[in-house]
Amino acid sequence: MPPQHEHARPGMTFRQMVERIRYEGAYPTRERAENVTRTVLAALGRQLTGDERVDLAARLPVEAALALTGEAPDHRPLTGWGFVKDLATRTGGTPATTRWDTGAVLTVVRHLAGPGLLDRILDQLPPGYALLFGGAELTRAA
């Protein structure tokens, strides 16, 4: 069955999303949490394509959806660790701090996406992203 695009906005506002990310990441200010949120979502948007990108954007608050879809997808897929390293390079952060930031944001995104869409997103992405979303990295039998 083909995926159905959901166009309803989530019950969480952007402010609530940022506050949740601020709590998850233990950020000292709302501004820091908002900056991390926009940066990580833009990076995730560069890795997602097709229905998964559209459906995830539909489940995010408008401001978050705009951050996710603000840049064209990158044609070189990155593993989870490659994603973290690339984002660290772009932001000037350390890989450890960037991994922390990524986890804080994607844990909240996981909640908003729901299990079905998250499974589709993880199926599209190279290995290593389940851990970034706060889940177990399962390998498929050959």
Side-chain angles (χ1 to χ4, degrees):
M1 186 164 127
Q4 293 182 355
H5 299 294
E6 295 188 23
H7 296 288
R9 287 284 155 208
M12 185 180 287
T13 66
F14 185 65
R15 183 176 192 84
Q16 290 168 329
M17 181 182 185
V18 169
E19 284 302 321
R20 179 106 181 254
I21 290 165
R22 180 179 178 189
Y23 176 80
E24 292 289 333
Y27 299 110
T29 65
R30 182 179 189 288
E31 292 75 25
R32 172 76 177 123
E34 185 173 329
N35 183 48
V36 166
T37 300
R38 291 180 190 280
T39 302
V40 172
L41 287 174
L44 179 62
R46 288 191 295 272
Q47 294 299 303
L48 287 179
T49 60
D51 290 337
E52 289 72 25
R53 180 178 163 113
V54 171
D55 291 348
L56 180 58
R59 294 187 188 190
L60 297 175
V62 172
E63 299 90 333
L66 291 172
L68 180 80
T69 60
E71 296 181 35
D74 193 339
H75 295 290
R76 77 188 156 108
L78 300 170
T79 64
W81 179 238
F83 177 85
V84 170
K85 289 191 308 186
D86 180 67
L87 189 54
T89 299
R90 288 173 185 264
T91 62
T94 66
T97 301
T98 303
R99 169 60 182 94
W100 179 269
D101 293 345
T102 301
V105 174
L106 295 186
T107 298
V108 175
V109 170
R110 173 186 181 179
H111 167 75
L112 291 170
L117 177 54
L118 183 63
D119 286 347
R120 289 179 24 227
I121 289 168
L122 293 175
D123 283 346
Q124 182 186 113
L125 295 169
Y129 283 86
L131 293 171
L132 299 178
F133 280 95
E137 188 71 38
L138 303 175
T139 56
R140 294 189 185 109

